[in-house]
Amino acid sequence: MDEYYMRQALTIAQYASGRTSPNPLVGAVIVKNGRIVGQGWHRKAGTPHAEIHALAQAGDLAKDATVYVTLEPCSHHGRTGPCADALIAAGVKKVVVAMTDPNPLVAGNGLTRLKEAGIEVVTGLLAAEAAKLNEVFIKWISTGMPFGVLKTAMSLDGKIAAYTGHSKWITGSPARQFVHKLRDTYDGILVGIGTVLADDPELTTRLPHGGNNPTRIIVDSMARTPLTAKVITDGRAPTIIAASCAAPAERVEALRSRGAEVLLLEKTPSGVDLRQLFKLLGEKRITSVFVEGGAAINASLLDANLIDKVYWLIAPKIIGGKTAPSPIGGTGATTADQAILLEDITTHSIDADVLITGYIAGREGRDVYRTCGRIGES
């Protein structure tokens, strides 16, 4: 039953997916005499945490109850008060925690406060599932770098467009709808200047109910983004242009005058210093970056060890053409045994298309994710 209630907490935590950044997703369930008397989830940064919602629903029934929470209750004053103190004041008897909080401001202090108040504390139940739920938060709070997600869609023979450059559409409508659901959950969406010049994309979330529009990030070393581009003119989301210090000053100022934020980064042979870009994005509390770029930017991000997770869509089509582009450009591996490996792979069908999801093996942040899944096991 403990596992059942914790899974319920994990399920309701996901209701706020894409809404809590830079905070984690958290769910809480309060049980008394074998019955759920309160439950809640953190809904948005700056608003009450999951435990507070659950306690409000439980009322007086929280006294001597057991609380199941997916992440260690906070112990510090931020925009809201400490949840550990609220649980103590409510008189709960036992708190079951999936994983401790990797945030240095918490990091076990909440558990200590509960124990010192005489509350029984159990940790580590479904810790791996809880860590995966908050893989974005764990990477960002532990390293200061955004969680990098690469999405690509290709034909059965590995093409992302015809040799003419025409690419609409590789996958079917259900798969494209799935991609918009992904956009709705991540903080930033990144493409290279080549994509902007070729397709003039909106880079917005288009779901039947609307959805969140991520911050648009254009890697554009020479500030060539047209002032008439949709990412500049439509105003539905902020736009960041990642240019190099070699970009013409008049182009930089023109983009800024249209409302774009232009970051001037170190110039590299391939364009701009992408690790410097991700560091600056992390400092701006952009905790995740969803990449929908072309072959060149995809290769550069992989080479820079900035991608953590991959969504790879494969359509049952054969495009052909030896010059037709593939998803990953660059030089590539020298030998097949040097190829980038994926782990924790899942495969799903989306109508006629196939989705492969996996994590880059051995990349920065992946070990952090695994470690946090084991923290506090007892």
Side-chain angles (χ1 to χ4, degrees):
M1 292 307 296
D2 282 347
E3 186 171 308
Y4 170 83
Y5 293 128
M6 186 61 79
R7 289 197 184 280
Q8 174 67 8
L10 289 165
T11 296
I12 64 176
Q14 296 177 67
Y15 291 168
S17 182
R19 303 298 182 267
T20 63
S21 181
N23 288 357
L25 294 164
V26 184
V29 172
I30 301 177
V31 177
K32 189 170 185 178
N33 299 326
R35 182 170 67 93
I36 294 177
V37 296
Q39 55 185 350
W41 60 96
H42 182 41
R43 302 182 183 194
K44 186 179 179 181
T47 66
H49 292 182
E51 299 93 322
I52 305 305
H53 286 296
L55 287 171
Q57 190 177 100
D60 293 340
L61 293 176
K63 183 173 176 58
D64 294 326
T66 297
V67 180
Y68 296 83
V69 62
T70 58
L71 189 70
E72 174 187 2
C74 64
S75 56
H76 65 290
H77 286 272
R79 284 184 280 183
T80 59
C83 292
D85 289 355
L87 293 171
I88 293 168
V92 304
K93 182 179 180 180
K94 181 179 178 180
V95 176
V96 181
V97 176
M99 62 172 284
T100 56
D101 193 337
N103 186 343
L105 294 175
V106 185
N109 294 325
L111 302 179
T112 298
R113 188 171 296 187
L114 294 173
K115 292 174 183 176
E116 289 175 346
I119 296 173
E120 181 184 354
V121 175
V122 176
T123 59
L125 179 64
L126 301 183
E129 289 88 337
K132 193 165 188 177
L133 173 71
N134 276 311
E135 58 192 8
V136 167
F137 173 74
I138 291 169
K139 169 73 180 290
W140 176 73
I141 201 69
S142 302
T143 69
M145 299 284 276
F147 189 82
V149 181
L150 172 63
K151 167 262 158 182
T152 194
M154 70 179 193
S155 63
L156 199 59
D157 57 336
K159 309 297 184 181
I160 60 173
Y163 77 92
T164 60
H166 186 272
S167 61
K168 293 184 179 180
W169 296 99
I170 300 294
T171 55
S173 179
R176 298 198 298 273
Q177 187 83 342
F178 170 76
V179 171
H180 282 280
K181 290 179 181 178
L182 292 177
R183 289 184 180 184
D184 181 59
T185 64
Y186 293 112
D187 289 352
I189 181 169
L190 183 148
V191 300
I193 181 59
T195 296
V196 173
L197 294 176
D199 300 333
D200 192 19
E202 297 174 42
L203 302 182
T204 53
T205 300
R206 297 184 293 280
L207 294 171
H209 61 276
N212 282 351
N213 288 321
T215 296
R216 298 174 288 207
I217 304 155
I218 315 301
V219 178
D220 178 10
S221 62
M222 298 305 291
R224 292 187 293 149
T225 300
L227 301 182
T228 56
K230 291 173 184 173
V231 295
I232 300 298
T233 61
D234 74 6
R236 282 181 284 173
T239 295
I240 295 174
I241 307 293
S244 76
C245 296
E250 64 273 15
R251 289 294 308 160
V252 170
E253 290 309 312
L255 289 166
R256 286 174 173 166
S257 72
R258 299 301 196 280
E261 180 180 1
V262 181
L263 302 178
L264 296 179
L265 308 171
E266 294 296 325
K267 184 171 175 54
T268 67
S270 60
V272 300
D273 187 329
L274 293 171
R275 292 197 68 81
Q276 183 186 14
L277 170 61
F278 268 53
K279 183 176 184 297
L280 291 173
L281 294 175
E283 291 172 357
K284 291 177 177 293
R285 308 184 101 188
I286 294 176
T287 65
S288 56
V289 175
F290 185 59
V291 180
E292 289 198 72
I297 192 66
N298 292 347
S300 295
L301 289 163
L302 285 167
D303 288 344
N305 294 343
L306 293 170
I307 298 300
D308 299 287
K309 188 174 187 177
V310 169
Y311 290 100
W312 208 283
L313 286 158
I314 304 172
K317 299 177 180 179
I318 299 173
I319 294 177
K322 64 181 181 180
T323 61
S326 63
I328 309 298
T331 304
T334 304
T335 59
D337 59 357
Q338 294 177 346
I340 295 170
L341 298 178
L342 296 185
E343 59 185 3
D344 293 355
I345 297 167
T346 58
T347 305
H348 297 95
S349 294
I350 304 178
D351 196 34
D353 302 313
V354 175
L355 170 67
I356 298 175
T357 305
Y359 295 84
I360 304 295
R363 288 294 166 95
E364 179 187 2
R366 189 69 178 139
D367 290 337
V368 171
Y369 156 70
R370 286 171 161 168
T371 302
C372 286
R374 296 194 296 266
I375 289 175
E377 292 181 1
S378 63

